[in-house]
Each structure stands twice: as structure tokens, then as C-alpha cells.
Amino acid sequence: MTAESATTVVRLGARRAARYKASSRPVWMEKPSLPMQGLKGLVLLVVCVAVIYPFLAVVGTSLSTQQEIAANNGFVLFPSEPTFAAYTTIFSGGIVTDALLRSIGITLVGTALAIALTVTMAYGLSRRGLLGGTFFLMTALLTMLFTPGIIPTFLVVKELGLLGSYAALILPTALSAFNLVIVRSFIMGIPAELIEAARLDGAGDLRILWHVVLPLSKAVIAVVGLFYAVGYWNAFFNAMLYVDSDKWPLAMVLRQYVLLGSSMDVSAGAEIAAPSQAIQMAVVVISLVPILCVYPFLQKYFTKGVLTGAVKG
């Protein structure tokens, strides 16, 4: 066999191997065909419309007059004559404004406390050889399977003297086992050499946590913090059980006056009257905007924080 023939055989073998390798790849690794790309685009378009349409309807209705709301059967996408009468009416009264300030305070304090408890406990449980570490970890995990009932939880809150205080809205949900597992798995993925080097330099656990673990865990802390913040912002059940109406957060006001349709005297002292449905939709918008403003700043941490914390450890 000549050298030219040998080269040809080698090339043919390489091509066959490449075709075999390409054909043996999983289906999801193949480049999608043009019809499949069109189908994916259509599905994405439908999902976007299904998400954006209700939001536009809520915003449009909150900016509409009574005549437009009646003419469009209660929902207006694009009002012809936008008016801020509903928002002026809401902020002229005190119910929604006070509830908004309470929700902001509860969310900030609750999120900070929850992050502190979760990170410190996750760091302790991530250390191998911790005395009783397995017991405490299993205890936390069991709370994901067996949740306490309403009556036992109410009795615990009552015996601790938390009834009627804002602490009853923060402490019962200050630690989530799900978030604890995510943060613990993320911390266990940090190279042990960094922690050992800090320990050889004389650093204690608190210093290691503050100067080594926390700077490397910004992604997972941001994601878990958002989970806690959304939970505190949207929570209404604890407020319904533990506090009076003068301490209701915004979520409870939203439930009482929008979902249940109770009358709300938000127009006391207001100069501009607004349709009741426009006022209800304005309350919904006010409850959505703060969380929507936070999401874009933390979106980049989601994939890195959640997926890394979920698969490592």
C-alpha cells in the first residue's frame, strides 16, 4: 500500500469516527431543526403573553376612569385617558401607606435575621466532625417532611409572649430548612485549603466565616435572601392569626380589601375620588413593584447560587 493510499484510508476512518461520534450524541445536544426552533419561539411567545397580559390589565385598570372600566367589563389594557386618581386616593389615606411601611420594615428585619441564622447554621453543619452535626442536620431536614399544625404553632407563639407583636410575623419563619440545605451545600463546595490556610494563620471560626466564607458565598446569599424577602413580603397568614388590624402588613391589606372585597376607607381626606376597582388594582401594583425592582439586580446570581448549592456536597 502506497503512502497516498494509507493517507486516504486514515482520512476515511477519521470521517467515519466523526460521523459515529456525532450520531451517538444525546438528542438534546444536537442542533435543533428550523421547525423546532420555530416551535420553541412560539411557546416562549405564548408564555410571555400569558405573563405580561394580566400585569398590563392590572396596571391599565388602575389608571382608568369609571367609564372606561365599565365599557371594558372591568379590565383595561391601555386607558385612553390615564389618571393617577387611584394612587392619589390611596396615598392620601393612611391604611395602605402604613401597611406598606410595615411590610418594608418586616421584610428588611426578617430577611437580615433569616440570612444571619441560615448562614451561621449552614457553616457549622458544613464542618466535618462537628459533634452532633448529623443530629441537628436531620432535625432540620425533618421539618421539611413533618410541618407543625396551626394550633401547635399558635400555642408556641402565645406561650413565648409574641401575640400582638411584629416578632410573631418574623420569628416563626426565620429559618427555612430548604434554604439551609442550599447554603450548606454551597459552603461545602468551597475549597477546604482556603479554610485550612486561614486556620493556620490563627483565624477562628467567626473570622473564617466573615473573611473567607461570606465573600465567596455572595451568589447563594443573594438568592436565599431573595427567597426570604419574597416570603416575608407576601406573607399574610401569620398576620391574620397573631396581630390586630392596626399592625397588618400590605399582603394582609391586599387580601382583605382586594380579594375579599371588604370596603376600605382609603379616600378619607382625599380630594380626588377614584373607582373602587381602580383602587384595588392600584393596591396590587403597589404590592408588586418593590419585589419587581429587586429581581433584576439579583437575577445574575440565580444560576450560580441555586444550581451550585443544589449539586455540590
Side-chain angles (χ1 to χ4, degrees):
M1 179 182 294
T2 62
E4 183 177 355
S5 300
T7 303
T8 303
V9 171
V10 172
R11 289 178 179 176
L12 290 175
R15 291 177 182 175
R16 290 178 181 175
R19 286 197 299 268
Y20 174 77
K21 183 178 181 181
S23 62
S24 62
R25 291 188 304 178
V27 177
W28 57 84
M29 294 183 63
E30 298 290 343
K31 183 179 180 180
S33 60
L34 186 60
M36 183 57 66
Q37 292 180 357
L39 179 60
K40 290 181 178 180
L42 179 61
V43 172
L44 182 60
L45 178 62
V46 171
V47 172
C48 291
V49 172
V51 173
I52 295 176
Y53 176 81
F55 183 75
L56 290 178
V58 170
V59 175
T61 305
S62 68
L63 299 174
S64 302
T65 60
Q66 181 61 48
Q67 293 76 13
E68 284 187 306
I69 294 176
N72 291 274
N73 297 322
F75 286 98
V76 183
L77 284 178
F78 303 103
S80 58
E81 297 179 359
T83 174
F84 291 93
Y87 296 93
T88 303
T89 303
I90 287 175
F91 289 111
S92 296
I95 296 179
V96 177
T97 305
D98 294 342
L100 178 62
L101 295 177
R102 294 189 205 105
S103 291
I104 294 175
I106 292 171
T107 301
L108 293 178
V109 175
T111 302
L113 177 62
I115 290 177
L117 294 176
T118 303
V119 172
T120 52
M121 187 173 181
Y123 172 74
L125 294 177
S126 67
R127 300 301 91 200
R128 302 185 185 277
L130 177 67
L131 181 62
T134 303
F135 170 77
F136 290 113
L137 178 61
M138 294 304 299
T139 302
L141 294 178
L142 284 176
T143 61
M144 299 176 62
L145 303 176
F146 305 100
T147 57
I150 298 176
I151 295 178
T153 305
F154 181 85
L155 293 177
V156 171
V157 173
K158 180 181 178 181
E159 292 301 322
L160 292 176
L162 301 179
L163 284 181
S165 65
Y166 293 114
L169 308 181
I170 296 175
L171 295 181
T173 56
L175 183 63
S176 168
F178 175 78
N179 295 334
L180 174 66
V181 171
I182 292 179
V183 178
R184 175 181 176 271
S185 300
F186 190 96
I187 294 176
M188 292 182 68
I190 297 176
E193 292 79 4
L194 295 176
I195 297 178
E196 293 300 328
R199 199 175 298 277
L200 290 175
D201 289 338
D205 285 321
L206 290 179
R207 190 172 180 182
I208 292 174
L209 175 62
W210 185 259
H211 293 283
V212 178
V213 175
L214 289 182
L216 297 175
S217 305
K218 291 180 180 179
V220 71
I221 291 176
V223 174
V224 170
L226 182 60
F227 289 164
Y228 279 122
V230 172
Y232 278 115
W233 183 265
N234 294 328
F236 70 90
F237 191 69
N238 286 348
M240 184 171 58
L241 293 178
Y242 304 136
V243 296
D244 298 327
S245 59
D246 58 340
K247 294 183 179 180
W248 278 356
L250 186 61
M252 188 60 192
V253 173
L254 181 69
R255 176 186 180 275
Q256 187 71 20
Y257 299 114
V258 178
L259 298 183
L260 299 183
S262 301
S263 60
M264 178 171 54
D265 188 18
V266 296
S267 58
E271 298 180 358
I272 303 176
S276 59
Q277 190 165 355
I279 293 177
Q280 291 177 350
M281 295 300 104
V283 175
V284 175
V285 173
I286 293 173
S287 66
L288 290 175
V289 167
I291 295 298
L292 289 179
C293 292
V294 175
Y295 266 108
F297 298 100
L298 301 180
Q299 183 180 4
K300 61 181 180 180
Y301 295 113
F302 265 76
T303 302
K304 182 179 178 182
V306 175
L307 293 185
T308 305
V311 301
K312 288 191 175 181

